[in-house]
Every structure is written in structure tokens, then in C-alpha cells.
Short mmCIF file of all heavy atoms in Angstrom, two decimals:
data_model
loop_
_atom_site.label_atom_id
_atom_site.label_comp_id
_atom_site.label_asym_id
_atom_site.label_seq_id
_atom_site.Cartn_x
_atom_site.Cartn_y
_atom_site.Cartn_z
N PRO A 492 -186.31 -83.56 -134.56
CA PRO A 492 -187.73 -84.00 -134.45
C PRO A 492 -188.26 -84.47 -135.80
O PRO A 492 -187.90 -83.94 -136.84
CB PRO A 492 -188.45 -82.74 -133.98
CG PRO A 492 -187.57 -81.61 -134.38
CD PRO A 492 -186.18 -82.14 -134.29
N GLU A 493 -188.99 -85.53 -135.67
CA GLU A 493 -189.51 -86.10 -136.90
C GLU A 493 -190.48 -85.14 -137.55
O GLU A 493 -191.40 -84.62 -136.91
CB GLU A 493 -190.23 -87.42 -136.61
CG GLU A 493 -189.27 -88.49 -136.07
CD GLU A 493 -190.01 -89.78 -135.82
OE1 GLU A 493 -191.23 -89.80 -136.08
OE2 GLU A 493 -189.36 -90.75 -135.39
N PRO A 494 -190.24 -84.85 -138.80
CA PRO A 494 -191.18 -83.93 -139.47
C PRO A 494 -192.52 -84.63 -139.75
O PRO A 494 -192.64 -85.86 -139.70
CB PRO A 494 -190.43 -83.61 -140.76
CG PRO A 494 -189.58 -84.81 -141.01
CD PRO A 494 -189.19 -85.35 -139.65
N GLU A 495 -193.47 -83.77 -139.92
CA GLU A 495 -194.79 -84.33 -140.24
C GLU A 495 -194.71 -85.05 -141.56
O GLU A 495 -193.97 -84.67 -142.46
CB GLU A 495 -195.82 -83.20 -140.35
CG GLU A 495 -196.01 -82.48 -139.01
CD GLU A 495 -197.03 -81.36 -139.16
OE1 GLU A 495 -197.52 -81.17 -140.30
OE2 GLU A 495 -197.27 -80.69 -138.16
N PRO A 496 -195.36 -86.11 -141.61
CA PRO A 496 -195.31 -86.87 -142.85
C PRO A 496 -195.78 -86.06 -144.04
O PRO A 496 -196.75 -85.33 -143.97
CB PRO A 496 -196.24 -88.06 -142.58
CG PRO A 496 -197.08 -87.65 -141.43
CD PRO A 496 -196.32 -86.68 -140.62
N GLU A 497 -194.99 -86.08 -145.05
CA GLU A 497 -195.31 -85.38 -146.27
C GLU A 497 -195.34 -86.39 -147.41
O GLU A 497 -194.76 -87.46 -147.32
CB GLU A 497 -194.26 -84.30 -146.56
CG GLU A 497 -194.24 -83.21 -145.53
CD GLU A 497 -193.21 -82.18 -145.86
OE1 GLU A 497 -192.47 -82.37 -146.89
OE2 GLU A 497 -193.05 -81.19 -145.12
N PRO A 498 -195.90 -85.96 -148.36
CA PRO A 498 -195.93 -86.88 -149.50
C PRO A 498 -194.51 -87.14 -149.97
O PRO A 498 -193.69 -86.23 -150.09
CB PRO A 498 -196.74 -86.11 -150.55
CG PRO A 498 -197.50 -85.10 -149.80
CD PRO A 498 -196.73 -84.75 -148.58
N GLU A 499 -194.26 -88.39 -150.09
CA GLU A 499 -192.93 -88.77 -150.52
C GLU A 499 -192.71 -88.39 -151.97
O GLU A 499 -193.58 -88.53 -152.80
CB GLU A 499 -192.73 -90.27 -150.35
CG GLU A 499 -192.76 -90.72 -148.89
CD GLU A 499 -192.51 -92.20 -148.78
OE1 GLU A 499 -192.32 -92.84 -149.82
OE2 GLU A 499 -192.43 -92.71 -147.64
N GLU A 500 -191.48 -87.85 -152.19
CA GLU A 500 -191.10 -87.51 -153.55
C GLU A 500 -189.95 -88.42 -153.97
O GLU A 500 -189.05 -88.73 -153.19
CB GLU A 500 -190.65 -86.05 -153.64
CG GLU A 500 -191.76 -85.07 -153.30
CD GLU A 500 -191.27 -83.65 -153.41
OE1 GLU A 500 -190.07 -83.46 -153.78
OE2 GLU A 500 -192.05 -82.73 -153.12
N GLU A 501 -190.00 -88.77 -155.15
CA GLU A 501 -188.98 -89.65 -155.66
C GLU A 501 -187.64 -88.91 -155.84
O GLU A 501 -187.63 -87.75 -156.21
CB GLU A 501 -189.43 -90.22 -157.01
CG GLU A 501 -190.65 -91.11 -156.90
CD GLU A 501 -191.03 -91.67 -158.25
OE1 GLU A 501 -190.30 -91.34 -159.23
OE2 GLU A 501 -192.00 -92.44 -158.32
N GLY A 502 -186.57 -89.59 -155.55
CA GLY A 502 -185.22 -89.04 -155.75
C GLY A 502 -184.68 -88.22 -154.61
O GLY A 502 -183.61 -87.64 -154.72
N GLU A 503 -185.36 -88.06 -153.44
CA GLU A 503 -184.85 -87.27 -152.31
C GLU A 503 -183.88 -88.12 -151.52
O GLU A 503 -184.23 -89.20 -151.05
CB GLU A 503 -186.01 -86.82 -151.44
CG GLU A 503 -185.57 -85.91 -150.30
CD GLU A 503 -186.77 -85.41 -149.49
OE1 GLU A 503 -187.91 -85.63 -149.87
OE2 GLU A 503 -186.49 -84.79 -148.45
N PRO A 504 -182.56 -87.62 -151.30
CA PRO A 504 -181.58 -88.43 -150.58
C PRO A 504 -181.87 -88.51 -149.09
O PRO A 504 -182.41 -87.58 -148.50
CB PRO A 504 -180.24 -87.71 -150.84
CG PRO A 504 -180.64 -86.30 -151.08
CD PRO A 504 -181.99 -86.35 -151.77
N ALA A 505 -181.48 -89.61 -148.50
CA ALA A 505 -181.66 -89.79 -147.06
C ALA A 505 -180.54 -89.07 -146.31
O ALA A 505 -179.43 -88.92 -146.80
CB ALA A 505 -181.64 -91.27 -146.72
N PRO A 506 -180.81 -88.55 -145.08
CA PRO A 506 -179.77 -87.88 -144.30
C PRO A 506 -178.65 -88.83 -143.93
O PRO A 506 -178.88 -90.00 -143.63
CB PRO A 506 -180.51 -87.39 -143.07
CG PRO A 506 -181.69 -88.27 -142.96
CD PRO A 506 -182.11 -88.63 -144.37
N VAL A 507 -177.39 -88.30 -143.96
CA VAL A 507 -176.22 -89.11 -143.62
C VAL A 507 -175.43 -88.43 -142.51
O VAL A 507 -175.59 -87.23 -142.25
CB VAL A 507 -175.30 -89.31 -144.85
CG1 VAL A 507 -176.02 -90.13 -145.92
CG2 VAL A 507 -174.86 -87.97 -145.39
N ALA A 508 -174.56 -89.19 -141.85
CA ALA A 508 -173.71 -88.62 -140.78
C ALA A 508 -172.60 -87.76 -141.39
O ALA A 508 -172.11 -88.03 -142.49
CB ALA A 508 -173.09 -89.75 -139.95
N VAL A 509 -172.18 -86.70 -140.64
CA VAL A 509 -171.13 -85.79 -141.08
C VAL A 509 -169.82 -86.14 -140.37
O VAL A 509 -169.78 -86.23 -139.14
CB VAL A 509 -171.50 -84.32 -140.82
CG1 VAL A 509 -170.37 -83.40 -141.24
CG2 VAL A 509 -172.79 -83.98 -141.54
N THR A 510 -168.78 -86.31 -141.13
CA THR A 510 -167.46 -86.63 -140.56
C THR A 510 -166.51 -85.45 -140.77
O THR A 510 -166.33 -84.97 -141.89
CB THR A 510 -166.87 -87.87 -141.21
OG1 THR A 510 -167.78 -88.98 -141.01
CG2 THR A 510 -165.51 -88.22 -140.61
N VAL A 511 -165.89 -84.97 -139.66
CA VAL A 511 -164.95 -83.84 -139.71
C VAL A 511 -163.54 -84.39 -139.49
O VAL A 511 -163.26 -85.04 -138.48
CB VAL A 511 -165.28 -82.78 -138.64
CG1 VAL A 511 -164.27 -81.64 -138.71
CG2 VAL A 511 -166.70 -82.27 -138.84
N ALA A 512 -162.68 -84.17 -140.43
CA ALA A 512 -161.31 -84.65 -140.33
C ALA A 512 -160.33 -83.49 -140.52
O ALA A 512 -160.58 -82.58 -141.32
CB ALA A 512 -161.04 -85.73 -141.37
N THR A 513 -159.24 -83.49 -139.75
CA THR A 513 -158.19 -82.47 -139.85
C THR A 513 -156.93 -83.10 -140.42
O THR A 513 -156.43 -84.10 -139.88
CB THR A 513 -157.87 -81.86 -138.47
OG1 THR A 513 -159.08 -81.33 -137.93
CG2 THR A 513 -156.83 -80.77 -138.59
N VAL A 514 -156.43 -82.54 -141.49
CA VAL A 514 -155.22 -83.08 -142.13
C VAL A 514 -153.98 -82.43 -141.49
O VAL A 514 -153.90 -81.19 -141.44
CB VAL A 514 -155.23 -82.81 -143.64
CG1 VAL A 514 -153.96 -83.36 -144.29
CG2 VAL A 514 -156.47 -83.43 -144.25
N PRO A 515 -153.01 -83.20 -140.93
CA PRO A 515 -151.81 -82.60 -140.33
C PRO A 515 -150.98 -81.85 -141.37
O PRO A 515 -150.87 -82.26 -142.53
CB PRO A 515 -151.04 -83.81 -139.78
CG PRO A 515 -151.54 -84.97 -140.58
CD PRO A 515 -152.99 -84.68 -140.88
N THR A 516 -150.43 -80.72 -140.94
CA THR A 516 -149.65 -79.87 -141.84
C THR A 516 -148.17 -80.02 -141.52
O THR A 516 -147.76 -79.87 -140.36
CB THR A 516 -150.06 -78.40 -141.69
OG1 THR A 516 -151.46 -78.30 -141.96
CG2 THR A 516 -149.29 -77.52 -142.66
N ALA A 517 -147.34 -80.33 -142.48
CA ALA A 517 -145.88 -80.46 -142.30
C ALA A 517 -145.22 -79.12 -142.57
O ALA A 517 -145.44 -78.51 -143.61
CB ALA A 517 -145.32 -81.52 -143.23
N ILE A 518 -144.45 -78.63 -141.59
CA ILE A 518 -143.77 -77.34 -141.71
C ILE A 518 -142.28 -77.59 -141.89
O ILE A 518 -141.65 -78.24 -141.07
CB ILE A 518 -144.03 -76.46 -140.47
CG1 ILE A 518 -145.53 -76.25 -140.28
CG2 ILE A 518 -143.30 -75.13 -140.59
CD1 ILE A 518 -145.88 -75.48 -139.02
N GLU A 519 -141.71 -77.10 -142.96
CA GLU A 519 -140.28 -77.24 -143.20
C GLU A 519 -139.50 -76.26 -142.34
O GLU A 519 -139.88 -75.10 -142.20
CB GLU A 519 -139.97 -77.00 -144.68
CG GLU A 519 -140.58 -78.05 -145.60
CD GLU A 519 -140.15 -77.84 -147.04
OE1 GLU A 519 -139.39 -76.87 -147.27
OE2 GLU A 519 -140.57 -78.63 -147.90
N VAL A 520 -138.41 -76.74 -141.74
CA VAL A 520 -137.58 -75.93 -140.86
C VAL A 520 -136.23 -75.73 -141.52
O VAL A 520 -135.57 -76.68 -141.93
CB VAL A 520 -137.39 -76.61 -139.49
CG1 VAL A 520 -136.52 -75.75 -138.59
CG2 VAL A 520 -138.75 -76.86 -138.85
N THR A 521 -135.82 -74.48 -141.65
CA THR A 521 -134.53 -74.16 -142.24
C THR A 521 -133.41 -74.42 -141.23
O THR A 521 -133.66 -74.46 -140.01
CB THR A 521 -134.47 -72.69 -142.68
OG1 THR A 521 -134.64 -71.87 -141.52
CG2 THR A 521 -135.60 -72.39 -143.67
N PRO A 522 -132.16 -74.62 -141.69
CA PRO A 522 -131.05 -74.83 -140.74
C PRO A 522 -130.89 -73.67 -139.76
O PRO A 522 -130.50 -73.87 -138.62
CB PRO A 522 -129.83 -74.96 -141.66
CG PRO A 522 -130.38 -75.44 -142.96
CD PRO A 522 -131.73 -74.81 -143.08
N GLU A 523 -131.19 -72.43 -140.21
CA GLU A 523 -131.07 -71.29 -139.31
C GLU A 523 -132.09 -71.37 -138.19
O GLU A 523 -131.83 -71.04 -137.04
CB GLU A 523 -131.24 -69.98 -140.09
CG GLU A 523 -130.09 -69.65 -141.03
CD GLU A 523 -130.13 -70.49 -142.29
OE1 GLU A 523 -131.17 -71.16 -142.52
OE2 GLU A 523 -129.14 -70.48 -143.05
N GLU A 524 -133.35 -71.84 -138.53
CA GLU A 524 -134.38 -71.96 -137.51
C GLU A 524 -134.12 -73.14 -136.59
O GLU A 524 -134.43 -73.09 -135.40
CB GLU A 524 -135.75 -72.10 -138.18
CG GLU A 524 -136.19 -70.88 -138.97
CD GLU A 524 -137.48 -71.12 -139.72
OE1 GLU A 524 -137.83 -72.30 -139.95
OE2 GLU A 524 -138.13 -70.13 -140.08
N ALA A 525 -133.56 -74.21 -137.16
CA ALA A 525 -133.31 -75.40 -136.33
C ALA A 525 -132.16 -75.18 -135.36
O ALA A 525 -132.08 -75.79 -134.31
CB ALA A 525 -133.00 -76.59 -137.23
N GLY A 526 -131.23 -74.24 -135.66
CA GLY A 526 -130.09 -73.98 -134.81
C GLY A 526 -128.92 -74.89 -135.12
O GLY A 526 -128.91 -75.61 -136.12
N VAL A 527 -127.88 -74.87 -134.25
CA VAL A 527 -126.65 -75.63 -134.45
C VAL A 527 -126.81 -77.02 -133.85
O VAL A 527 -127.19 -77.16 -132.69
CB VAL A 527 -125.45 -74.91 -133.82
CG1 VAL A 527 -124.17 -75.71 -134.04
CG2 VAL A 527 -125.31 -73.52 -134.39
N THR A 528 -126.52 -78.04 -134.63
CA THR A 528 -126.62 -79.41 -134.13
C THR A 528 -125.42 -79.73 -133.24
O THR A 528 -124.42 -79.01 -133.23
CB THR A 528 -126.66 -80.40 -135.30
OG1 THR A 528 -125.43 -80.30 -136.02
CG2 THR A 528 -127.84 -80.10 -136.22
N ARG A 529 -125.54 -80.82 -132.50
CA ARG A 529 -124.43 -81.22 -131.62
C ARG A 529 -123.19 -81.53 -132.44
O ARG A 529 -122.08 -81.15 -132.07
CB ARG A 529 -124.84 -82.45 -130.81
CG ARG A 529 -125.83 -82.16 -129.69
CD ARG A 529 -125.97 -83.38 -128.79
NE ARG A 529 -126.90 -83.13 -127.71
CZ ARG A 529 -128.19 -83.44 -127.76
NH1 ARG A 529 -128.68 -83.99 -128.87
NH2 ARG A 529 -128.98 -83.21 -126.74
N ARG A 530 -123.38 -82.25 -133.54
CA ARG A 530 -122.22 -82.60 -134.35
C ARG A 530 -121.54 -81.36 -134.90
O ARG A 530 -120.31 -81.25 -134.87
CB ARG A 530 -122.66 -83.49 -135.52
CG ARG A 530 -121.53 -83.82 -136.49
CD ARG A 530 -121.97 -84.77 -137.56
NE ARG A 530 -122.28 -86.08 -137.02
CZ ARG A 530 -122.68 -87.11 -137.76
NH1 ARG A 530 -122.83 -86.95 -139.06
NH2 ARG A 530 -122.93 -88.27 -137.21
N ARG A 531 -122.34 -80.41 -135.38
CA ARG A 531 -121.74 -79.19 -135.91
C ARG A 531 -121.04 -78.40 -134.81
O ARG A 531 -119.97 -77.82 -135.02
CB ARG A 531 -122.83 -78.33 -136.56
CG ARG A 531 -122.29 -77.07 -137.24
CD ARG A 531 -123.41 -76.29 -137.91
NE ARG A 531 -124.06 -77.11 -138.93
CZ ARG A 531 -125.13 -76.69 -139.60
NH1 ARG A 531 -125.65 -75.51 -139.35
NH2 ARG A 531 -125.69 -77.47 -140.52
N PHE A 532 -121.62 -78.38 -133.61
CA PHE A 532 -121.00 -77.65 -132.50
C PHE A 532 -119.63 -78.23 -132.16
O PHE A 532 -118.64 -77.51 -132.01
CB PHE A 532 -121.91 -77.70 -131.28
CG PHE A 532 -121.27 -77.18 -130.02
CD1 PHE A 532 -121.13 -75.82 -129.80
CD2 PHE A 532 -120.78 -78.06 -129.07
CE1 PHE A 532 -120.52 -75.35 -128.65
CE2 PHE A 532 -120.17 -77.60 -127.92
CZ PHE A 532 -120.05 -76.23 -127.71
#
């Protein structure tokens, strides 16, 4: 809701949109966790 008009003060920043971003996380897998490959089998 629009606030009641107040005396304008110099230097007050205007409202901006908020952006939420999620950075993907890379998980390293050890050979034991990955299991036996077809070639190795």
C-alpha cells in the first residue's frame, strides 16, 4: 500500500525487485561410491 506522502528526503533509494538464485553444487564421487564399471568388470 502506498504510504502517506511524506516529505521527501534527499538520498533515499528507490525499492528494487529481489532475485533469488540457487547455485548448483557439484559432488565428487569416489571410485568406491561409484562402484565397478562395465570395463573393469
